Amino acid sequence: MSEAVVEAGRRRTFAVISHPDAGKSTLTEALALHAQALTSAGAVHGKGGRRGVASDWMELERARGISVTSAVLQFAHCGRVLNLLDTPGHADFSEDTYRVLAAVDCAVMLIDAAKGLEEQTRKLFDVCRHRGIPVITFVNKWDRPGREALELLDEIEREFRLRPTPVTWPVGIAGHFRGLVDTREPERMLRYTRAPGGAREAVEEQLTAGEAAAEADADWATATEELALLRETGAVHDREDFLAGKSTPVFFGAAVSNIGVRLLLDAVVDMAPPPGPRELEGGGERPVDAPFSGLVFKVQANMDRAHRDRIAFVRVCSGVFERGMTVTRAASGKPFATKYAHSVFGQDRSAVETAYPGDVVGLVNATALRVGDTLHTGPRAVFPPMPTFAPEHFQVVRPVDVGRSKQFRRGVAQLDEEGVVQVLVSDARGEQAPVLAAVGPMQFDVVRHRMEFEFSAPVRLESLPYTAARATDQAGAEGLSRSRLVHGEGMRRVRDGTWLALFPSRWHLSNFQREFPRSPLDPLIAAHD
Ligand code: G4P
């Protein structure tokens, strides 16, 4: 077996997805604490001055207490190497999350026990389904009053058409937590008690059924009945169904006290798939033991203000990456030297010498690289393009000081390449007034801030009255701009040349179709529509 195959088999690359405040940062910290962090422990971000704010490298993030950018955390557990890719918590940055999901093999869906499925959970789950990513569910905050466990399972099944198969089961209702049962060992209860000295992690002990009955009495009896019911209905983990996206193993716990976190971590190792062959554009696939290939899923500029550099995050898909190797950028066929390859964890960097399928490498000063690019050695490989979310917010951007138009153009181009926003142009509007398209309005705050502080080109933004965008052709886009009958405007997306039709609301779509029957009107991504 090749080195790439052996090492790929040891890798588990995953992301935690959740609605803001469900406890993603807390769970990430708890996972890293449990596992042996291979990189600096401060890599996990926290909010509002909590420990380890290393990924909050942007001033804006610090000011707002949100995580705009994503960090990567690598740790070891049970002889495996886990790569946890962080995703931004705020819904306005779902485009960024989507790109991170293109780089993982599994997702942990975090649900707040009191709130159940929330809006952002639904959107992110749609993306996982769209990409065929298997999902492990963690029901968090069981230490607080919340919904009933069976009710939460029902909701997952009904709304996501995903069969929930509990792997752990709570003894005691939410807020009256007595312990957990590992459904593979139903004769035992795991009891958690606060550690002496006020440490956050609870101590885990195993009780026999007799001890559990004595301790938890009616709660143990209820849990035993519920477990029997679940077995009868066949709610039992099945690897094939899970990998096929038909079922989700479910875990219960409380990330804040580390309850149930070890079992979740074990599950990532045991259940999450290792990196496998990756589908290629135009058919076929690239096996993990093929020569090196990697996917650029994120480009981030100016992470280090002292250096003003630009980092492309590359997920290794096949082969072995070695620092210094020359790879080919598939889009241009041009060589790219990887002398400055780093592992990037928040602000901490260390040179990476070797990386295997599933790992993430940060290429510094990667000015030629774009999000969605494929890098390779040996036979050419191109991975399918990353779909973008349909933007719903549109603003015209102009430089405050026309004397700084060079910096303005450079900044806008940079933010476009990073995917901070989509940049749209048209002949009618001209180069000095492109339109920025975003999924969430907070993306514009990032633009405003970065244009002023990084590119020294303060901007004025002005909202346009559009809320819907569809892909069309040149005739449709130009016809729409001229039309007196259909409200809207046609523009071209700079990034990939796609013609877009912008409308004040979806009600105007049918008018367009009547007026321009020969022009297509395609949603930009199904998951969001
Ligand atoms: P996020 O990244 O998904 O946005 O969530 P985050 O971890 O920041 O958690 C949101 C809030 O929920 C935090 O409270 C956190 O302490 C709390 N939390 C997370 N997991 C659990 C849990 O298992 N049980 C309980 N009871 N609470 C949990 P906060 O008040 O916003 O912040 P803090 O002052 O507690 O840090």
Side-chain angles (χ1 to χ4, degrees), residues 203-288:
V203 177
E204 183 184 280
E205 295 164 282
Q206 289 210 3
L207 304 191
T208 62
E211 289 166 341
E215 163 126 358
D217 199 18
D219 289 330
W220 173 253
T222 307
T224 313
E225 276 169 32
E226 287 167 339
L227 283 166
L229 182 77
L230 290 169
R231 269 196 305 277
E232 267 171 43
T233 55
V236 177
H237 174 64
D238 177 290
R239 187 171 166 78
E240 266 177 38
D241 278 358
F242 161 61
L243 294 180
K246 293 182 189 161
S247 69
T248 177
V250 181
F251 294 78
F252 290 82
V256 77
S257 343
N258 231 334
I259 292 167
V261 174
R262 178 189 63 81
L263 287 152
L264 176 68
L265 203 51
D266 291 351
V268 171
V269 164
D270 294 340
M271 297 175 179
R278 210 172 171 96
E279 196 191 321
L280 291 170
E281 171 86 331
E285 49 187 29
R286 183 100 163 175
V288 286

Side-chain angles (χ1 to χ4, degrees), residues 111 113 116 139 142 147-156 252:
I111 294 174
V139 179
W142 205 257
R147 312 250 304 264
E148 281 187 24
L150 286 171
E151 194 193 324
L152 288 166
L153 298 192
D154 266 355
E155 192 175 356
I156 295 171
F252 290 82

